[in-house]
Each structure stands twice: as structure tokens, then as C-alpha cells.
Amino acid sequence: MVQNRWFLFVLMLLAFTGIAQTTGIVNGNLKMEVDGMMKVRLSSTFKDAKPLMDGFVASEKLVMPLAEISDFKVMDVSEGSIQGDLKGKQWVFTGVYQKNGIHIEKRLTVKEYDGFPDLLSTQVSYVNKLERAIFVEKWVNNAYKILSQGDAPAFWAFQGSSTDAREDWIKPLQSPYFQQNYLGQNMTDYGGGIPVTDLWRKDVGIAVGHLAMVPKLVSLPTEVDSMGTYGEIGVSKKLEDRTVLEANGTLETEETFVMVHQGDYYNALSEYSNLMQAKGITMPEREDAAFESIWCAWGYERKFTADEVIGTLPKVKELGIKWAVLDDGFQIAEGDWNADPKKFPRGNIEITEMVDKIHEHGLKAKVWWTPLAADPGSKALVENPDMRIFQKDGSPEFITWWDAYYLSPANPKTIQYTEGIIDLFMNEYGFDAFKMDGQHMNGVLPDYNQDLELDYPEESVEKLPDFFQMIYDQSRKIKPHAVIENCPCGTCMSYFNMASMNQAVSSDPLSSWQIRHKGKTYKALIPQTAYYGDHVELSDNGNDFASSFGIGAVLGTKFTWPNDNPDASDSFLLTPEKEKVWKKWFSLYDQKMLSKEKYLGSLYDIGYDKPETHVIEKEGNLYYAFYADDFKGTISLKGLEASGKYTVTDYFNEVDMGTVSGKDPKLDVAFKQFLLIEVSPKGKKK
């Protein structure tokens, strides 16, 4: 228990030039040592954990045009308590750098927060002690060189940034490897993300990130050297146009953190989100309607007809699906959300009538929408051309996917315009929910519109979550059980937007693997929020319901019936053969409803445990989902009571697999693609 409390210890180390002081801080299983030059070494006290680092590094430093300032001689160390809602302790290290005509004072503040073992936060301020200004290019925090253990891969990593490659959020890292993980706009349309990077080995993992309450334009680079000896992580901010640090001026970094954990990245993300919520971020409560199954008209694509959508509803109801979604193609343009007269000659009333038909079939109605996008020449920009983002040269920020301009979330006119769209969708059309769509929603460029009188251009970046919170609040005011889905097409979703939705989604997954690991990510960060696996047609082979089912995701489909739209790019026709499969999965989904239950993400390491395994607990039973292309061997059922006896059932195939002892819960199995089993205490009535 002693190691779970903070304490300060001082080791006096002899040196040639005198006596240097090393200060060690321990919280839980994380130990941080700070030497006399304010360099840092981390270690972990987890059982069986091997060394994390083989020496001290300059983990917090300042980069100038011709110098990297990292050697700060420690002059003072003080310890104190943190008061307020989030209590704890803090240590302040004061050091100086004075050579080569530069004189800078550094104050490093290290904090522990009560109730968050294994984590330390850091914040640094640099004071220019010269009588003249200096240029600063970048600050760096929590930069560490982590030893690999010679395994292949050297590390697994979670990286929370986004690019148009739509890469896996977690993946094995082979040497050499580098990824910048910039959380601003990396390219047109793509940016934002989760401000955490995590490297983990079989024995221990380490995560870093920032603890600001709004998005920040920082990088969390990840690197593995060419020999595979080290993995490097950190948090940094490149300052625009060589920021001038005036004489006696102060530059302060964001509050950042380092955390150690065992198992995979799930544990780190869960702890990060819990801390952010303790700091004041409020996540939505669970909305039951968000867990109901979904049919989307996108199978007919943009050239759908109202008759096709309405004609499919009887089959949607027959399969037990609860939601019908009107997707892209009903509107005049992005930025003019009235009914397209070419498709709806009688105007908006025809969309209202379609929604009425959905409701008559006992279904709920959701509408596709891409907020903050407005086509050039659209009603929104004709009436308010200054709603758009202004880049430094006055040009707009393009959203190339929609051939649109990005509206500024910090502009009051954008807020007023968007409130009118919410009223149109919910009060006039009668929809019950939004499918907000587009990778551009994940991040935005700084806004240099001088008429807005922002305190600084990056306010547009920081106010993006407020914009989505406005949509959430206004929608729920009109319809208290409104479902708000945020689908940032293929991006690693901004953590700060998660507070203003009650349905996450795998968001155009490129594989079933993405459906599963995105699900594990969301369940770490927002376990109370529904996670939708997206259209099953986007999974492996277009029919992998098992990946959504086993991770605890809402099932969805975009089938067409009884015919395809001849102008669609592909066929999603619900054939009689497919219908049998679809009907079985949607029936099983309603029967089990695992998507509402507790996901036990700490039991298995998604990188190192084979086969890949996920577990959900419901009413004392454990539901295991195993995935592999072709597996034959022994599986271990983690999480059972050692003294218990359990019956095992392959519930998808309705096969009794016998009994296991909690003391040695192993089974020999063979399966292809997936195995779904239910484990119940022996003698328990089903």
C-alpha cells in the first residue's frame, strides 16, 4: 500500500564537480526520477515489468532556431498540495540555463491527482531572463526513449491522429518507424483526434498526451529506431512563425501527462478519460434508443427515389430493425437543406410524408447531415458569405469531399444558421435523430476573420466542441430522446466531440479489424455511449455481423429490396439467401442486447493475446468473442472465479461445449473467422 501513495525521496549522488541531487516521485506503479540537470528517467514497479529506460533524457525542452535548450541546472525543489475539486500533490522544480548568450529559467511542475495512480502530469514554463527578445520554435514535453525487449513486433501502438489514409488506430510497429501524429489539420478535410499516444510491450505500456480541456494543435510523434532498440514518444508544439519571447516574458506549455499500465491501450485510454471527466468534461448519459438496430437507405446511394425508400420499410420492420435512415441526396446542396425539387417536386412536404411513413411502420427516423459544410453558391453562403473560415491569406478552408467551404464554428452567424437547420429537420420534417457525417467535423483550421474579433485564430479550433454541444442540446430540447450520431468518416474521432453525441460509429471502416479495435477504443473512453458498427456491408466479405456483435456494437445494414437502384455503384440487394443470415443476426441481437452491457476490456491484450478476444458481462454470464482467420488450439477463458464451475455454449450455433473449471478454464477449439460463446455458472437457469 505504501507504493500507492506519493512520497518524495532524495538520493545524494557524488559527482566530480560537487554533489548533484536526484529527486524521485512515485505514484502507484510509476516512478519518475529527475536529476540535477532536470532530466528524467521513468521506471515501473509492475510485477514482472522490465526496465522502461536505460538512462536519463531531456524529456521537457525548448527549441530555438539554432539551439535546443535542455540542460537546466536545478536550483530549487518544492513540494505542496493541490486544492480544489481535483486534489493531489505537486512538485515544482526550478532550474536555469545560462550560456552562449542565452539565459532562461525553467519551472517544471509535476502533479499527482488523488484517485489516479500510475499517472503524473507535467507543465512547464520558460522565462526569458535576458533584456532582449528571443525566438522560440517549439516546446517538447514527456519525450521518452523506451526500451524494446527484442520482440517482433517491437511495440504495439495506439496513435490518435487522423489522415486521409484512414489507417488503423492501433497497429504493431516494426523498425524503422515514424509518425508525426499532429492533431491539427494534416491535409484537406482531415485532422483532430484523441490526444494520447500509447506504446506497449508484453510486460508494460506507457502513454503520453495532453490534459487541456479543448483541442490543441500539438503533435504526439511516435518513432522506432532502425535497430528496433527504442521506441520514442512525446508531446510537442511547433510555434507558428518563430514565436517571439519578449524580455522577461513567459512561455507556458499545455498540461501533459505520462502514464504506465499493463495490458493493452484500453487501460490507458480509460484512465485518461476518467481524469478528463474529473477535470470537468461531461459525457452524455446513455440513450436507450441509440442501441436499437439500424437500416440506412445509403444502399440506394444519392440517386434514390422516395418510392424505393418507402418500399423497403416493410422488410426493415420484418427483420426487427428499429431505425430507418434517410442518407445523402435529399437536399438541394450542402448549405441548403430543403428538399431537392428534382427529386421532390412538391418540396419539403414530401420529406415530411416520408418520415410519416417511417413512423407508420413503427420505426424511428434519422437524417443524414454534414454540418459546417456549405457549397459555394449555396443558400447559406449567399446569405452569409462571411460564415466561412478565413485562412491567413483570406482564402476559404475547402472540404474537398463535399466540394464545399468550411463554416466557422466560432462565428455566431454559423450558430444561428445551424439552429435553423435543426428546426427544419426536427420540427418541420419530423426526424428523430441525426447522422452527422464527414471527416471534416473532426477538426478545423484557425480562423483569421478579423470581423469576428477572436482573441486568437486558434479559437475556432477550440470552439468546435462547443458547436457540436449546441447541436446536441438543441436537438434534445426539441426531442428529449433524440439520437445524435457523429460519423467523422474514417478519422480517429476527436475526444472533445464525444461529449456532444450519444452514438459513436465505426465510421466507414476499411476492415472488420477496424470495427473491433475502434469499438474497444470507444468503450475505453465512453463506455456508456452506444457504439454502432456501421453498415455490415463495410465489414469483411460484406457480412461479418460477428465483429460488431462480439465487440458489443449496434448492428446495421444498408440492404436494398426488392430491387437495386440501377444507378447505384454496387449491389446491396437482400437476396433470399442473405435474408436468412440477416434475420438470424438481428434476431440474436435483440435477444442478447450485448451492446448495452459491460465490456471487459482489460482481460485480453488485443495485440499480444491470440486469438484476438473480447468479453462482455451480462447478468453474471460472460460472453467471449474470438477472432482469427483459422484457429485450432487451446483458448483460455479469463475473468472466471477460480472456485466456480461453468457451462460453455456456442450460442450462435447452439452447441453445448461442456463445462470448465474456473481454476483451469481452458478449452480446445477449432474455428474459422469467429467463435461466440456464453459461459454461465453451472446450474444457473437460463
Side-chain angles (χ1 to χ4, degrees):
M1 296 300 292
V2 173
Q3 70 175 13
N4 290 324
R5 299 193 301 267
W6 281 94
F7 64 90
L8 183 68
F9 66 92
V10 178
L11 300 175
M12 305 304 293
L13 303 176
L14 295 176
F16 290 111
T17 57
I19 298 176
Q21 177 175 295
T22 297
T23 302
I25 304 171
V26 176
N27 184 24
N29 293 287
L30 173 61
K31 178 180 178 181
M32 174 186 287
E33 297 171 272
V34 184
D35 73 7
M37 300 305 292
M38 219 178 289
K39 294 185 178 181
V40 170
R41 179 171 62 190
L42 301 178
S43 57
S44 168
T45 58
F46 281 118
K47 182 181 179 182
D48 300 326
K50 298 176 182 178
L52 282 171
M53 301 171 64
D54 59 2
F56 287 83
V57 297
S59 56
E60 286 75 36
K61 54 195 173 186
L62 197 63
V63 179
M64 299 174 64
L66 298 176
E68 183 177 282
I69 313 302
S70 59
D71 293 332
F72 291 85
K73 185 177 180 180
V74 175
M75 307 301 292
D76 182 68
V77 182
S78 62
E79 177 185 348
S81 60
I82 303 170
Q83 301 303 318
D85 294 336
L86 195 56
K87 294 180 172 57
K89 293 183 181 179
Q90 70 176 21
W91 291 260
V92 180
F93 298 81
T94 303
V96 294
Y97 177 97
Q98 189 171 11
K99 57 184 175 181
N100 300 323
I102 299 172
H103 186 187
I104 297 176
E105 181 182 273
K106 174 182 176 181
R107 288 194 292 271
L108 166 65
T109 302
V110 179
K111 294 181 180 179
E112 65 87 9
Y113 293 111
D114 292 349
F116 294 92
D118 310 330
L119 181 148
L120 292 172
S121 92
T122 59
Q123 193 162 26
V124 184
S125 63
Y126 299 94
V127 181
N128 177 16
K129 305 299 286 187
L130 297 175
E131 295 301 319
R132 58 179 173 82
I134 58 175
F135 286 120
V136 179
E137 290 190 336
K138 182 170 72 171
W139 58 258
V140 178
N141 280 9
N142 302 106
Y144 308 112
K145 295 180 68 173
I146 308 304
L147 289 163
S148 78
Q149 298 300 314
D151 296 320
F155 300 94
W156 275 79
F158 168 83
Q159 298 170 95
S161 62
S162 298
T163 71
D164 65 352
R166 300 190 176 189
E167 293 186 39
D168 295 340
W169 301 358
I170 70 165
K171 57 186 176 183
L173 302 189
Q174 305 287 359
S175 60
Y177 177 87
F178 178 78
Q179 189 164 297
Q180 183 64 37
N181 294 318
Y182 177 54
L183 292 180
Q185 293 299 94
N186 289 294
M187 53 197 66
T188 305
D189 297 14
Y190 289 87
I194 299 166
V196 178
T197 292
D198 188 2
L199 288 184
W200 77 93
R201 310 180 313 213
K202 288 182 179 180
D203 61 327
V204 68
I206 181 170
V208 299
H210 80 68
L211 293 174
M213 301 297 284
V214 293
K216 294 294 182 179
L217 301 184
V218 301
S219 296
L220 291 92
T222 307
E223 183 173 358
V224 179
D225 71 301
S226 60
M227 300 298 292
T229 306
Y230 298 102
E232 297 188 35
I233 54 176
V235 185
S236 63
K237 181 175 177 64
K238 186 176 182 181
L239 304 173
E240 189 175 9
D241 296 334
R242 289 187 177 183
T243 294
V244 175
L245 185 56
E246 300 289 352
N248 297 309
T250 299
L251 171 68
E252 188 168 76
T253 74
E254 304 297 342
E255 183 182 11
T256 58
F257 74 88
V258 59
M259 179 195 323
V260 294
H261 63 90
Q262 288 193 305
D264 65 27
Y265 74 114
Y266 174 91
N267 301 306
L269 289 190
S270 178
E271 191 77 343
Y272 161 76
S273 188
N274 289 338
L275 177 53
M276 293 297 287
Q277 291 176 68
K279 286 169 68 70
I281 287 183
T282 302
M283 293 297 178
E285 295 181 359
R286 186 173 89 170
E287 172 54 59
D288 285 343
F291 292 86
E292 295 176 326
S293 51
I294 301 166
W295 172 77
C296 182
W298 185 239
Y300 295 112
E301 298 184 352
R302 289 187 178 91
K303 294 186 178 180
F304 73 87
T305 67
D307 287 342
E308 286 172 332
V309 175
I310 294 171
T312 312
L313 297 179
K315 184 59 67 176
V316 173
K317 182 175 178 61
E318 182 184 332
L319 290 176
I321 297 171
K322 304 302 191 296
W323 282 93
V325 184
L326 179 63
D327 214 289
D328 187 8
F330 68 88
Q331 72 279 10
I332 295 173
E334 284 76 48
D336 188 346
W337 298 98
N338 289 293
D340 182 353
K342 297 189 292 294
K343 188 167 292 185
F344 302 101
R346 293 187 292 116
N348 288 1
I349 187 62
E350 292 194 55
I351 296 182
T352 301
E353 290 172 350
M354 183 186 295
V355 174
D356 288 343
K357 287 290 185 182
I358 293 172
H359 289 154
E360 287 172 12
H361 280 81
L363 306 172
K364 299 181 180 71
K366 182 188 287 188
V367 65
W368 177 91
W369 178 28
T370 178
L372 291 173
D375 299 344
S378 65
K379 181 180 178 181
L381 287 175
V382 167
E383 294 180 351
N384 291 289
D386 58 340
M387 283 199 300
R388 67 172 176 84
I389 287 284
F390 282 71
Q391 297 192 67
K392 188 177 290 188
D393 62 1
S395 63
E397 178 180 359
F398 288 98
I399 305 172
T400 56
W401 189 268
W402 310 118
D403 297 321
Y405 291 168
Y406 204 126
L407 304 183
S408 176
N411 193 322
K413 292 182 179 179
T414 303
I415 305 295
Q416 184 177 10
Y417 154 75
T418 304
E419 289 175 338
I421 303 306
I422 296 170
D423 180 71
L424 170 68
F425 284 148
M426 290 198 153
N427 284 326
E428 182 174 340
Y429 291 154
F431 285 102
D432 308 298
F434 291 137
K435 174 187 176 179
M436 301 191 301
D437 194 40
Q439 61 272 9
H440 69 283
M441 298 191 301
N442 216 44
V444 62
L445 289 174
D447 190 353
Y448 290 86
N449 184 351
Q450 295 184 356
D451 292 337
L452 280 184
E453 298 182 349
L454 300 177
D455 291 336
Y456 45 90
E458 287 182 17
E459 266 196 273
S460 59
V461 177
E462 297 175 6
K463 288 188 174 182
L464 183 61
D466 292 341
F467 172 82
F468 287 111
Q469 188 65 49
M470 177 275 296
I471 292 177
Y472 183 85
D473 292 341
Q474 284 292 105
S475 303
R476 301 274 287 183
K477 184 177 180 181
I478 296 170
K479 294 200 172 184
H481 296 288
V483 172
I484 310 302
E485 173 191 347
N486 190 314
C487 180
C489 307
T491 64
C492 187
M493 185 182 182
S494 170
Y495 175 75
F496 304 95
N497 290 349
M498 295 180 191
S500 51
M501 67 177 189
N502 51 26
Q503 188 178 74
V505 60
S506 64
S507 188
D508 297 322
L510 301 180
S511 66
S512 292
W513 163 245
Q514 287 197 350
I515 293 171
R516 298 193 298 269
H517 78 251
K518 288 181 180 183
K520 184 161 191 171
T521 301
Y522 282 119
K523 288 178 181 295
L525 295 167
I526 44 173
Q528 76 290 343
T529 301
Y531 170 62
Y532 170 31
D534 216 328
H535 313 139
V536 71
E537 292 82 2
L538 294 170
S539 67
D540 293 352
N541 303 313
N543 64 1
D544 182 14
F545 285 101
S547 280
S548 287
F549 200 99
I551 192 69
V554 177
L555 298 191
T557 177
K558 59 178 179 179
F559 70 81
T560 59
W561 182 87
N563 300 299
D564 281 323
N565 185 312
D567 295 319
S569 62
D570 205 346
S571 173
F572 300 105
L573 184 63
L574 187 69
T575 63
E577 294 76 20
K578 288 173 64 175
E579 183 175 343
K580 293 178 182 177
V581 177
W582 264 237
K583 187 171 290 186
K584 178 173 182 177
W585 279 109
F586 281 105
S587 175
L588 191 62
Y589 178 78
D590 287 340
Q591 175 190 339
K592 298 293 186 182
M593 283 305 294
L594 298 184
S595 59
K596 287 185 175 182
E597 305 302 327
K598 185 178 181 180
Y599 175 79
L600 305 181
S602 298
L603 288 181
Y604 291 87
D605 186 321
I606 198 171
Y608 291 105
D609 285 334
K610 302 299 177 187
E612 177 191 340
T613 310
H614 303 270
V615 188
I616 296 172
E617 181 182 17
K618 179 181 180 181
E619 298 174 352
N621 296 343
L622 295 185
Y623 292 82
Y624 294 80
F626 300 93
Y627 301 96
D629 290 337
D630 191 351
F631 181 84
K632 184 176 182 179
T634 302
I635 57 174
S636 178
L637 304 178
K638 299 181 182 180
L640 302 179
E641 294 289 339
S643 60
K645 300 288 185 181
Y646 299 86
T647 59
V648 183
T649 305
D650 174 348
Y651 62 88
F652 180 74
N653 294 302
E654 299 180 343
V655 174
D656 184 347
M657 300 179 67
T659 62
V660 296
S661 165
K663 188 175 182 180
D664 186 29
K666 292 182 171 60
L667 282 174
D668 291 327
V669 300
F671 67 89
K672 293 184 178 180
Q673 305 308 322
F674 70 90
L675 173 64
L676 302 179
I677 64 174
E678 177 181 359
V679 179
S680 306
K682 192 172 181 180
K684 180 181 177 180
K685 292 183 179 180
K686 295 188 178 181

